Amino acid sequence: WEIFMRKSEVVILLSIYNGAKFLDKQLESLFKQKTNCNITIYYRDDGSTDESINIINLWKDRLSMKECTSSRKCNLGPALSFWELLTTAPEADFYAFCDQDDIWMDDKVEKCVAYMNEKNIDLVVTDKQIIDENDNVTCSSVRKHSNKNYDNWNTYDDITKYNIFVTYAVGMSIIMKASFAKKSLPFSKYTGHDKWVLACTSTEGKVGYLNLPLVQYRRHGKNVSGVLVGIETKEDYINQRIMPDLKMIEDFKQKYPNHKDLNEIEKFANARRTGNIKTLFKLRYLAPDIAKFDIVTALLPEKLFSFMVKIAQKIS
């Protein structure tokens, strides 16, 4: 009877880097979680120089918190910081990725764990709201207002080959079984932790989408994202966007050499590198927006490409 009554152990993996402005609100939302699970916050500071650690210390008496035991104290960046967290995390039933500047609804953990148990899945992704730096809701439901494939997939869908090119879940919207989280190690260093764990889990297990906005995703000037950030030339685009994808696919191939979609994945990735318009068009269903952009890129002269990128960066 005690086995059936045991509470699930959920470890929230929190990576921090100069997040003092919003960290307090995120921790408050974790404190407000209404759930039958036992929750532990396992955090790692990635070299903050602001008041982030002082804020953590203020919450230690109210939240069950443990500091990452990793010996690597230097700045690693988001993906590798989460790698360190997951590698050294306490034993648990479920792990949840957590960014420092978002806000969780108070029933996020409870509903995600219940949904995973109900559907017998190994990883769940939730819908999300978008908020600005002043907590104003600018989008009440990304899924409701988006027509993109990566926002409109369903539980049990086979999404691996699509997620390889376009991230089908932002990290803070993911909760997963600990066993499958560990199976995803080591992460590829050429992509985000969220894309990698989703690719691995959808290959080895079952993934699901919970159609409820259970997180508020903060968009502000210091978000670590942006498709064309740092891009000025075609060479920049190839070296900074296409080549890392190819290297990530090599890592995926080493892990899953017999994956049924590997040939398809490699053909599209190589077509991006060589500018093979015919193949990009044929396989455009894998990543429609990327295929369109790469076809246009292959057709445009260098100067016109650079001009187009500058316009796109101003608009975004």
Side-chain angles (χ1 to χ4, degrees), residues 175-186:
I175 293 184
M176 60 193 305
K177 286 183 180 176
S179 56
F180 279 82
K182 295 290 188 179
K183 283 181 183 180
S184 70
L185 293 169

Side-chain angles (χ1 to χ4, degrees), residues 8 94 111-121 177:
S8 294
F94 302 95
K111 287 189 173 176
C112 284
V113 170
Y115 188 77
M116 293 176 71
N117 289 332
E118 176 194 344
K119 299 295 185 181
N120 190 28
I121 55 177
K177 286 183 180 176

Side-chain angles (χ1 to χ4, degrees), residues 29 34 55 64-65 82 122 164 169 186 190 203 232 242 276:
S29 76
K34 299 172 183 176
I55 293 171
S64 175
M65 305 187 79
F82 279 112
D122 307 297
I164 287 288
Y190 300 107
T203 296
E232 294 182 7
I242 295 177
N276 185 326

Side-chain angles (χ1 to χ4, degrees), residues 22 78 99 101-102 130-133 170 217-226 229:
F22 304 113
D99 295 329
D101 47 6
D102 304 312
I130 305 295
I131 58 174
D132 63 18
E133 60 182 23
V170 181
Y217 178 47
R218 192 183 300 278
R219 289 266 177 87
H220 56 88
K222 295 184 179 179
N223 283 93
V224 185
S225 60
V229 172

Side-chain angles (χ1 to χ4, degrees), residues 78-237:
L80 290 179
S81 186
F82 279 112
W83 181 353
E84 288 291 305
L85 282 163
L86 184 54
T87 302
T88 59
E91 290 299 315
D93 299 300
F94 302 95
Y95 292 128
F97 295 115
C98 183
D99 295 329
Q100 63 192 8
D101 47 6
D102 304 312
I103 295 175
W104 290 14
M105 307 307 189
D106 59 14
D107 53 355
K108 178 195 174 180
V109 171
E110 179 180 43
K111 287 189 173 176
C112 284
V113 170
Y115 188 77
M116 293 176 71
N117 289 332
E118 176 194 344
K119 299 295 185 181
N120 190 28
I121 55 177
D122 307 297
L123 178 152
V124 67
V125 176
T126 77
D127 189 11
K128 55 187 178 291
Q129 295 183 349
I130 305 295
I131 58 174
D132 63 18
E133 60 182 23
N134 298 312
D135 300 344
N136 298 309
V137 176
T138 58
C139 177
S140 60
S141 164
V142 169
R143 187 179 180 91
K144 183 178 178 181
H145 293 92
S146 172
N147 61 359
K148 302 298 184 183
N149 295 343
Y150 48 81
D151 291 321
N152 287 282
W153 57 280
N154 298 301
T155 298
Y156 308 129
D157 281 358
D158 183 3
I159 61 171
T160 306
K161 64 184 179 183
Y162 309 105
N163 175 73
I164 287 288
F165 297 101
V166 181
T167 306
Y168 267 48
V170 181
M172 55 81 187
S173 67
I174 292 174
I175 293 184
M176 60 193 305
K177 286 183 180 176
S179 56
F180 279 82
K182 295 290 188 179
K183 283 181 183 180
S184 70
L185 293 169
F187 293 173
S188 171
K189 64 181 180 180
Y190 300 107
T191 192
H193 60 288
D194 37 22
K195 181 189 282 191
W196 184 254
V197 299
L198 190 55
C200 293
T201 307
S202 62
T203 296
E204 295 196 49
K206 298 174 183 176
V207 297
Y209 194 102
L210 179 52
N211 192 10
L212 292 171
L214 297 177
V215 285
Q216 293 185 316
Y217 178 47
R218 192 183 300 278
R219 289 266 177 87
H220 56 88
K222 295 184 179 179
N223 283 93
V224 185
S225 60
V227 174
L228 296 173
V229 172
I231 305 298
E232 294 182 7
T233 65
K234 284 188 180 183
E235 186 178 3
D236 289 340
Y237 181 66

